Amino acid sequence: DTAVSQTPKYLVTQMGNDKSIKCEQNLGHDTMYWYKQDSKKFLKIMFSYNNKELIINETVPNRFSPKSPDKAHLNLHINSLELGDSAVYFCASSQGAATQYFGPGTRLTVL
Amino acid sequence: GENVEQHPSTLSVQEGDSAVIKCTYSDSASNYFPWYKQELGKRPQLIIDIRSNVGEKKDQRIAVTLNKTAKHFSLHITETQPEDSAVYFCAASKMGGGADGLTFGKGTHLIIQP
């Protein structure tokens, strides 16, 4: 059974488009996160949700909007995609502030 | 905010030798220090972690040491094997209350030479 899953695995789109990435966890965790891994492999926290409440919103452009319909899901919607948004986006989950488990990642390519 | 520095960026060792990766952190309130291994095209996977009330933790060939005073922690891999080749990330966060994300170091590409 997949603990943290993401869809799609690959996403190729044109500049200016709007796209969404979905994340689901079946671990019963109450906290979910989005991380961005750039071309140099640097991993950076974008958002954190605890019980559907936004906890962290690092300096991420307003074009990125997380949505958490319930504790098991955290989606990421991106408006007006730019070339610099190309990266691998990882979802993660944890119980409170404990160990974080990562999803398989979504490779976003903006052309 | 927290800042984590990681060295070296690339480490090449002979199979069977030991590898050491070092990290420093800036926020003295950080109290949780995990290490993740990421193979090419895969997700980061936790290999070991340590909390600030512990100075050392070992799991088979992997060990982590923490020096709170100096604000640095290290990953030690003994008897390295080809499957240890990967990128290793250290991270730091504050546990307890809230849901802090992890602040990662920039990663160490570990290459095991046969």
mmCIF file of all heavy atoms in Angstrom, chain A residues 5-11 18-24 34-35 46 64-67 73-78 81 85 87-91 105-109:
data_model
loop_
_atom_site.group_PDB
_atom_site.id
_atom_site.type_symbol
_atom_site.label_atom_id
_atom_site.label_comp_id
_atom_site.label_asym_id
_atom_site.label_seq_id
_atom_site.Cartn_x
_atom_site.Cartn_y
_atom_site.Cartn_z
ATOM 1 N N SER A 5 0.888 9.331 -1.716
ATOM 2 C CA SER A 5 0.845 9.248 -3.170
ATOM 3 C C SER A 5 0.575 10.621 -3.767
ATOM 4 O O SER A 5 -0.060 11.482 -3.132
ATOM 5 C CB SER A 5 -0.230 8.252 -3.632
ATOM 6 O OG SER A 5 -1.498 8.643 -3.159
ATOM 7 N N GLN A 6 1.070 10.816 -4.984
ATOM 8 C CA GLN A 6 0.887 12.077 -5.689
ATOM 9 C C GLN A 6 0.487 11.787 -7.129
ATOM 10 O O GLN A 6 0.946 10.811 -7.717
ATOM 11 C CB GLN A 6 2.199 12.879 -5.740
ATOM 12 C CG GLN A 6 2.714 13.384 -4.442
ATOM 13 C CD GLN A 6 4.036 14.121 -4.580
ATOM 14 O OE1 GLN A 6 4.971 13.838 -3.837
ATOM 15 N NE2 GLN A 6 4.136 15.067 -5.502
ATOM 16 N N THR A 7 -0.314 12.671 -7.674
ATOM 17 C CA THR A 7 -0.647 12.601 -9.096
ATOM 18 C C THR A 7 -0.690 14.009 -9.671
ATOM 19 O O THR A 7 -1.145 14.945 -9.002
ATOM 20 C CB THR A 7 -2.023 11.939 -9.326
ATOM 21 O OG1 THR A 7 -3.019 12.631 -8.552
ATOM 22 C CG2 THR A 7 -1.993 10.464 -8.941
ATOM 23 N N PRO A 8 -0.210 14.204 -10.889
ATOM 24 C CA PRO A 8 0.440 13.188 -11.712
ATOM 25 C C PRO A 8 1.911 13.029 -11.328
ATOM 26 O O PRO A 8 2.440 13.799 -10.541
ATOM 27 C CB PRO A 8 0.305 13.775 -13.106
ATOM 28 C CG PRO A 8 0.390 15.256 -12.884
ATOM 29 C CD PRO A 8 -0.309 15.512 -11.574
ATOM 30 N N LYS A 9 2.569 12.035 -11.910
ATOM 31 C CA LYS A 9 4.000 11.857 -11.668
ATOM 32 C C LYS A 9 4.810 12.825 -12.532
ATOM 33 O O LYS A 9 5.851 13.323 -12.111
ATOM 34 C CB LYS A 9 4.396 10.415 -11.984
ATOM 35 C CG LYS A 9 5.820 10.077 -11.563
ATOM 36 C CD LYS A 9 6.064 8.579 -11.643
ATOM 37 C CE LYS A 9 7.522 8.249 -11.337
ATOM 38 N NZ LYS A 9 7.905 8.643 -9.972
ATOM 39 N N TYR A 10 4.325 13.062 -13.738
ATOM 40 C CA TYR A 10 4.966 14.016 -14.647
ATOM 41 C C TYR A 10 3.903 14.997 -15.143
ATOM 42 O O TYR A 10 2.757 14.610 -15.379
ATOM 43 C CB TYR A 10 5.588 13.314 -15.855
ATOM 44 C CG TYR A 10 6.658 12.310 -15.508
ATOM 45 C CD1 TYR A 10 6.354 10.957 -15.408
ATOM 46 C CD2 TYR A 10 7.964 12.719 -15.265
ATOM 47 C CE1 TYR A 10 7.333 10.038 -15.074
ATOM 48 C CE2 TYR A 10 8.954 11.797 -14.939
ATOM 49 C CZ TYR A 10 8.623 10.463 -14.844
ATOM 50 O OH TYR A 10 9.591 9.553 -14.512
ATOM 51 N N LEU A 11 4.333 16.238 -15.314
ATOM 52 C CA LEU A 11 3.422 17.276 -15.780
ATOM 53 C C LEU A 11 4.214 18.215 -16.683
ATOM 54 O O LEU A 11 5.168 18.857 -16.234
ATOM 55 C CB LEU A 11 2.843 18.026 -14.577
ATOM 56 C CG LEU A 11 1.730 19.035 -14.786
ATOM 57 C CD1 LEU A 11 0.585 18.455 -15.593
ATOM 58 C CD2 LEU A 11 1.227 19.524 -13.431
ATOM 59 N N ASP A 18 -2.576 27.057 -15.979
ATOM 60 C CA ASP A 18 -2.859 26.746 -14.575
ATOM 61 C C ASP A 18 -2.897 25.226 -14.433
ATOM 62 O O ASP A 18 -3.494 24.529 -15.262
ATOM 63 C CB ASP A 18 -4.227 27.299 -14.155
ATOM 64 C CG ASP A 18 -4.348 28.793 -14.364
ATOM 65 O OD1 ASP A 18 -3.303 29.473 -14.450
ATOM 66 O OD2 ASP A 18 -5.489 29.280 -14.431
ATOM 67 N N LYS A 19 -2.264 24.713 -13.377
ATOM 68 C CA LYS A 19 -2.235 23.266 -13.168
ATOM 69 C C LYS A 19 -2.362 22.942 -11.685
ATOM 70 O O LYS A 19 -2.077 23.781 -10.818
ATOM 71 C CB LYS A 19 -0.924 22.666 -13.693
ATOM 72 C CG LYS A 19 -0.792 22.682 -15.201
ATOM 73 C CD LYS A 19 -1.807 21.753 -15.849
ATOM 74 C CE LYS A 19 -1.690 21.812 -17.365
ATOM 75 N NZ LYS A 19 -2.744 21.015 -18.036
ATOM 76 N N SER A 20 -2.768 21.707 -11.420
ATOM 77 C CA SER A 20 -2.879 21.235 -10.038
ATOM 78 C C SER A 20 -2.147 19.921 -9.853
ATOM 79 O O SER A 20 -2.073 19.103 -10.767
ATOM 80 C CB SER A 20 -4.356 21.022 -9.665
ATOM 81 O OG SER A 20 -5.028 22.246 -9.595
ATOM 82 N N ILE A 21 -1.623 19.748 -8.653
ATOM 83 C CA ILE A 21 -0.997 18.490 -8.242
ATOM 84 C C ILE A 21 -1.747 17.998 -7.007
ATOM 85 O O ILE A 21 -2.044 18.795 -6.103
ATOM 86 C CB ILE A 21 0.497 18.675 -7.880
ATOM 87 C CG1 ILE A 21 1.256 19.354 -9.024
ATOM 88 C CG2 ILE A 21 1.132 17.331 -7.551
ATOM 89 C CD1 ILE A 21 2.677 19.757 -8.655
ATOM 90 N N LYS A 22 -2.046 16.695 -6.998
ATOM 91 C CA LYS A 22 -2.814 16.153 -5.877
ATOM 92 C C LYS A 22 -1.936 15.256 -5.003
ATOM 93 O O LYS A 22 -1.034 14.580 -5.496
ATOM 94 C CB LYS A 22 -4.004 15.358 -6.403
ATOM 95 C CG LYS A 22 -5.005 16.209 -7.146
ATOM 96 C CD LYS A 22 -6.239 15.420 -7.530
ATOM 97 C CE LYS A 22 -7.263 16.327 -8.200
ATOM 98 N NZ LYS A 22 -8.506 15.596 -8.544
ATOM 99 N N CYS A 23 -2.244 15.275 -3.714
ATOM 100 C CA CYS A 23 -1.511 14.441 -2.771
ATOM 101 C C CYS A 23 -2.485 13.796 -1.797
ATOM 102 O O CYS A 23 -3.409 14.451 -1.307
ATOM 103 C CB CYS A 23 -0.489 15.266 -1.997
ATOM 104 S SG CYS A 23 0.425 14.322 -0.751
ATOM 105 N N GLU A 24 -2.254 12.525 -1.527
ATOM 106 C CA GLU A 24 -3.091 11.803 -0.579
ATOM 107 C C GLU A 24 -2.203 10.951 0.316
ATOM 108 O O GLU A 24 -1.232 10.357 -0.156
ATOM 109 C CB GLU A 24 -4.081 10.901 -1.316
ATOM 110 C CG GLU A 24 -4.940 10.051 -0.395
ATOM 111 C CD GLU A 24 -5.904 9.149 -1.152
ATOM 112 O OE1 GLU A 24 -5.883 9.147 -2.391
ATOM 113 O OE2 GLU A 24 -6.682 8.438 -0.480
ATOM 114 N N TRP A 34 4.146 20.624 1.457
ATOM 115 C CA TRP A 34 4.646 20.668 0.083
ATOM 116 C C TRP A 34 6.074 21.200 0.113
ATOM 117 O O TRP A 34 6.353 22.213 0.765
ATOM 118 C CB TRP A 34 3.798 21.571 -0.812
ATOM 119 C CG TRP A 34 2.562 20.907 -1.321
ATOM 120 C CD1 TRP A 34 1.269 21.169 -0.976
ATOM 121 C CD2 TRP A 34 2.495 19.866 -2.303
ATOM 122 N NE1 TRP A 34 0.411 20.345 -1.654
ATOM 123 C CE2 TRP A 34 1.135 19.534 -2.485
ATOM 124 C CE3 TRP A 34 3.453 19.159 -3.044
ATOM 125 C CZ2 TRP A 34 0.706 18.548 -3.369
ATOM 126 C CZ3 TRP A 34 3.023 18.181 -3.910
ATOM 127 C CH2 TRP A 34 1.666 17.882 -4.077
ATOM 128 N N TYR A 35 6.965 20.480 -0.603
ATOM 129 C CA TYR A 35 8.350 20.896 -0.774
ATOM 130 C C TYR A 35 8.622 21.046 -2.269
ATOM 131 O O TYR A 35 8.052 20.341 -3.095
ATOM 132 C CB TYR A 35 9.312 19.841 -0.222
ATOM 133 C CG TYR A 35 9.356 19.753 1.285
ATOM 134 C CD1 TYR A 35 8.453 18.948 1.974
ATOM 135 C CD2 TYR A 35 10.302 20.459 2.014
ATOM 136 C CE1 TYR A 35 8.496 18.851 3.360
ATOM 137 C CE2 TYR A 35 10.361 20.369 3.398
ATOM 138 C CZ TYR A 35 9.451 19.561 4.054
ATOM 139 O OH TYR A 35 9.502 19.480 5.435
ATOM 140 N N MET A 46 7.513 24.664 1.249
ATOM 141 C CA MET A 46 6.629 25.680 0.700
ATOM 142 C C MET A 46 5.455 25.927 1.652
ATOM 143 O O MET A 46 5.175 27.064 2.033
ATOM 144 C CB MET A 46 6.089 25.223 -0.657
ATOM 145 C CG MET A 46 7.133 25.000 -1.707
ATOM 146 S SD MET A 46 6.416 24.303 -3.216
ATOM 147 C CE MET A 46 5.484 25.703 -3.824
ATOM 148 N N PHE A 64 0.834 30.263 -6.174
ATOM 149 C CA PHE A 64 0.743 28.918 -5.591
ATOM 150 C C PHE A 64 -0.306 28.945 -4.486
ATOM 151 O O PHE A 64 -0.208 29.758 -3.553
ATOM 152 C CB PHE A 64 2.088 28.491 -4.997
ATOM 153 C CG PHE A 64 3.144 28.216 -6.015
ATOM 154 C CD1 PHE A 64 3.830 29.261 -6.624
ATOM 155 C CD2 PHE A 64 3.457 26.921 -6.388
ATOM 156 C CE1 PHE A 64 4.803 29.012 -7.574
ATOM 157 C CE2 PHE A 64 4.432 26.660 -7.331
ATOM 158 C CZ PHE A 64 5.108 27.713 -7.925
ATOM 159 N N SER A 65 -1.289 28.055 -4.578
ATOM 160 C CA SER A 65 -2.315 28.024 -3.548
ATOM 161 C C SER A 65 -2.591 26.588 -3.138
ATOM 162 O O SER A 65 -3.053 25.782 -3.939
ATOM 163 C CB SER A 65 -3.603 28.702 -4.023
ATOM 164 O OG SER A 65 -4.028 28.150 -5.246
ATOM 165 N N PRO A 66 -2.280 26.252 -1.893
ATOM 166 C CA PRO A 66 -2.582 24.914 -1.397
ATOM 167 C C PRO A 66 -4.044 24.827 -0.966
ATOM 168 O O PRO A 66 -4.632 25.806 -0.524
ATOM 169 C CB PRO A 66 -1.654 24.785 -0.187
ATOM 170 C CG PRO A 66 -1.489 26.179 0.297
ATOM 171 C CD PRO A 66 -1.615 27.088 -0.897
ATOM 172 N N LYS A 67 -4.600 23.628 -1.104
ATOM 173 C CA LYS A 67 -5.974 23.392 -0.659
ATOM 174 C C LYS A 67 -6.010 22.047 0.037
ATOM 175 O O LYS A 67 -5.535 21.054 -0.510
ATOM 176 C CB LYS A 67 -6.943 23.363 -1.849
ATOM 177 C CG LYS A 67 -7.109 24.688 -2.559
ATOM 178 C CD LYS A 67 -8.026 25.615 -1.805
ATOM 179 C CE LYS A 67 -8.475 26.811 -2.637
ATOM 180 N NZ LYS A 67 -7.390 27.619 -3.156
ATOM 181 N N HIS A 73 -5.713 14.750 2.445
ATOM 182 C CA HIS A 73 -5.425 15.312 1.128
ATOM 183 C C HIS A 73 -4.884 16.729 1.220
ATOM 184 O O HIS A 73 -5.366 17.529 2.021
ATOM 185 C CB HIS A 73 -6.698 15.334 0.258
ATOM 186 C CG HIS A 73 -7.247 13.991 -0.044
ATOM 187 N ND1 HIS A 73 -8.112 13.331 0.817
ATOM 188 C CD2 HIS A 73 -7.044 13.150 -1.097
ATOM 189 C CE1 HIS A 73 -8.422 12.158 0.296
ATOM 190 N NE2 HIS A 73 -7.795 12.015 -0.858
ATOM 191 N N LEU A 74 -3.863 16.989 0.400
ATOM 192 C CA LEU A 74 -3.346 18.347 0.270
ATOM 193 C C LEU A 74 -2.977 18.553 -1.187
ATOM 194 O O LEU A 74 -2.081 17.894 -1.707
ATOM 195 C CB LEU A 74 -2.119 18.570 1.152
ATOM 196 C CG LEU A 74 -1.508 19.978 1.081
ATOM 197 C CD1 LEU A 74 -2.508 21.036 1.572
ATOM 198 C CD2 LEU A 74 -0.215 20.055 1.900
ATOM 199 N N ASN A 75 -3.709 19.441 -1.845
ATOM 200 C CA ASN A 75 -3.487 19.699 -3.255
ATOM 201 C C ASN A 75 -2.764 21.023 -3.436
ATOM 202 O O ASN A 75 -2.830 21.913 -2.577
ATOM 203 C CB ASN A 75 -4.825 19.713 -4.001
ATOM 204 C CG ASN A 75 -5.590 18.411 -3.796
ATOM 205 O OD1 ASN A 75 -5.001 17.334 -3.745
ATOM 206 N ND2 ASN A 75 -6.909 18.510 -3.661
ATOM 207 N N LEU A 76 -2.066 21.123 -4.556
ATOM 208 C CA LEU A 76 -1.325 22.350 -4.861
ATOM 209 C C LEU A 76 -1.774 22.856 -6.214
ATOM 210 O O LEU A 76 -1.634 22.138 -7.216
ATOM 211 C CB LEU A 76 0.179 22.064 -4.873
ATOM 212 C CG LEU A 76 1.101 23.265 -5.098
ATOM 213 C CD1 LEU A 76 0.977 24.261 -3.945
ATOM 214 C CD2 LEU A 76 2.542 22.807 -5.264
ATOM 215 N N HIS A 77 -2.315 24.055 -6.229
ATOM 216 C CA HIS A 77 -2.746 24.659 -7.481
ATOM 217 C C HIS A 77 -1.784 25.787 -7.834
ATOM 218 O O HIS A 77 -1.426 26.586 -6.960
ATOM 219 C CB HIS A 77 -4.184 25.204 -7.356
ATOM 220 C CG HIS A 77 -4.732 25.654 -8.659
ATOM 221 N ND1 HIS A 77 -5.178 24.764 -9.617
ATOM 222 C CD2 HIS A 77 -4.894 26.887 -9.183
ATOM 223 C CE1 HIS A 77 -5.599 25.443 -10.671
ATOM 224 N NE2 HIS A 77 -5.442 26.730 -10.429
ATOM 225 N N ILE A 78 -1.382 25.813 -9.095
ATOM 226 C CA ILE A 78 -0.429 26.828 -9.531
ATOM 227 C C ILE A 78 -1.027 27.587 -10.712
ATOM 228 O O ILE A 78 -1.411 26.982 -11.734
ATOM 229 C CB ILE A 78 0.919 26.218 -9.972
ATOM 230 C CG1 ILE A 78 1.392 25.148 -8.974
ATOM 231 C CG2 ILE A 78 1.973 27.311 -10.109
ATOM 232 C CD1 ILE A 78 2.552 24.317 -9.458
ATOM 233 N N LEU A 81 1.664 29.640 -14.806
ATOM 234 C CA LEU A 81 2.956 28.983 -14.657
ATOM 235 C C LEU A 81 4.075 29.716 -15.378
ATOM 236 O O LEU A 81 3.892 30.249 -16.479
ATOM 237 C CB LEU A 81 2.859 27.544 -15.153
ATOM 238 C CG LEU A 81 2.261 26.586 -14.126
ATOM 239 C CD1 LEU A 81 1.630 25.375 -14.768
ATOM 240 C CD2 LEU A 81 3.341 26.176 -13.127
ATOM 241 N N ASP A 85 9.144 27.786 -12.435
ATOM 242 C CA ASP A 85 8.374 26.853 -11.609
ATOM 243 C C ASP A 85 8.754 25.406 -11.903
ATOM 244 O O ASP A 85 8.346 24.502 -11.170
ATOM 245 C CB ASP A 85 6.874 27.041 -11.855
ATOM 246 C CG ASP A 85 6.386 28.419 -11.452
ATOM 247 O OD1 ASP A 85 6.998 29.035 -10.555
ATOM 248 O OD2 ASP A 85 5.407 28.893 -12.057
ATOM 249 N N ALA A 87 10.361 22.139 -11.655
ATOM 250 C CA ALA A 87 11.003 21.544 -10.478
ATOM 251 C C ALA A 87 10.308 20.220 -10.194
ATOM 252 O O ALA A 87 9.333 19.864 -10.873
ATOM 253 C CB ALA A 87 10.883 22.457 -9.261
ATOM 254 N N VAL A 88 10.793 19.539 -9.165
ATOM 255 C CA VAL A 88 10.065 18.378 -8.647
ATOM 256 C C VAL A 88 9.389 18.816 -7.348
ATOM 257 O O VAL A 88 10.031 19.386 -6.467
ATOM 258 C CB VAL A 88 11.000 17.180 -8.371
ATOM 259 C CG1 VAL A 88 10.191 16.001 -7.824
ATOM 260 C CG2 VAL A 88 11.738 16.773 -9.642
ATOM 261 N N TYR A 89 8.095 18.563 -7.264
ATOM 262 C CA TYR A 89 7.326 18.947 -6.085
ATOM 263 C C TYR A 89 7.012 17.690 -5.287
ATOM 264 O O TYR A 89 6.449 16.725 -5.808
ATOM 265 C CB TYR A 89 6.040 19.667 -6.494
ATOM 266 C CG TYR A 89 6.341 21.025 -7.110
ATOM 267 C CD1 TYR A 89 6.657 21.129 -8.466
ATOM 268 C CD2 TYR A 89 6.345 22.174 -6.333
ATOM 269 C CE1 TYR A 89 6.968 22.362 -9.019
ATOM 270 C CE2 TYR A 89 6.657 23.406 -6.883
ATOM 271 C CZ TYR A 89 6.971 23.492 -8.226
ATOM 272 O OH TYR A 89 7.284 24.718 -8.786
ATOM 273 N N PHE A 90 7.395 17.716 -4.011
ATOM 274 C CA PHE A 90 7.161 16.577 -3.127
ATOM 275 C C PHE A 90 6.126 16.947 -2.072
ATOM 276 O O PHE A 90 6.221 17.987 -1.420
ATOM 277 C CB PHE A 90 8.441 16.164 -2.404
ATOM 278 C CG PHE A 90 9.439 15.451 -3.263
ATOM 279 C CD1 PHE A 90 10.528 16.119 -3.786
ATOM 280 C CD2 PHE A 90 9.289 14.097 -3.533
ATOM 281 C CE1 PHE A 90 11.459 15.464 -4.577
ATOM 282 C CE2 PHE A 90 10.211 13.427 -4.316
ATOM 283 C CZ PHE A 90 11.298 14.116 -4.846
ATOM 284 N N CYS A 91 5.194 16.060 -1.897
ATOM 285 C CA CYS A 91 4.270 16.127 -0.788
ATOM 286 C C CYS A 91 4.844 15.265 0.332
ATOM 287 O O CYS A 91 5.551 14.280 0.072
ATOM 288 C CB CYS A 91 2.915 15.581 -1.250
ATOM 289 S SG CYS A 91 1.674 15.440 0.015
ATOM 290 N N GLY A 105 6.853 12.322 -5.625
ATOM 291 C CA GLY A 105 7.228 13.520 -6.363
ATOM 292 C C GLY A 105 6.459 13.689 -7.662
ATOM 293 O O GLY A 105 5.998 12.724 -8.281
ATOM 294 N N THR A 106 6.322 14.948 -8.075
ATOM 295 C CA THR A 106 5.733 15.311 -9.368
ATOM 296 C C THR A 106 6.736 16.197 -10.081
ATOM 297 O O THR A 106 7.097 17.256 -9.570
ATOM 298 C CB THR A 106 4.411 16.068 -9.183
ATOM 299 O OG1 THR A 106 3.445 15.212 -8.573
ATOM 300 C CG2 THR A 106 3.884 16.562 -10.521
ATOM 301 N N ARG A 107 7.192 15.724 -11.231
ATOM 302 C CA ARG A 107 8.156 16.513 -12.009
ATOM 303 C C ARG A 107 7.387 17.442 -12.926
ATOM 304 O O ARG A 107 6.718 16.996 -13.857
ATOM 305 C CB ARG A 107 9.096 15.625 -12.807
ATOM 306 C CG ARG A 107 10.133 16.408 -13.605
ATOM 307 C CD ARG A 107 11.128 15.494 -14.295
ATOM 308 N NE ARG A 107 11.949 14.767 -13.333
ATOM 309 C CZ ARG A 107 13.031 15.259 -12.756
ATOM 310 N NH1 ARG A 107 13.453 16.484 -13.035
ATOM 311 N NH2 ARG A 107 13.719 14.522 -11.908
ATOM 312 N N LEU A 108 7.460 18.730 -12.655
ATOM 313 C CA LEU A 108 6.771 19.748 -13.444
ATOM 314 C C LEU A 108 7.761 20.404 -14.396
ATOM 315 O O LEU A 108 8.809 20.892 -13.971
ATOM 316 C CB LEU A 108 6.160 20.806 -12.512
ATOM 317 C CG LEU A 108 5.575 22.051 -13.189
ATOM 318 C CD1 LEU A 108 4.387 21.681 -14.065
ATOM 319 C CD2 LEU A 108 5.171 23.093 -12.150
ATOM 320 N N THR A 109 7.415 20.389 -15.666
ATOM 321 C CA THR A 109 8.232 21.044 -16.687
ATOM 322 C C THR A 109 7.383 22.102 -17.367
ATOM 323 O O THR A 109 6.319 21.787 -17.918
ATOM 324 C CB THR A 109 8.736 20.042 -17.736
ATOM 325 O OG1 THR A 109 9.486 19.012 -17.077
ATOM 326 C CG2 THR A 109 9.632 20.734 -18.757
#
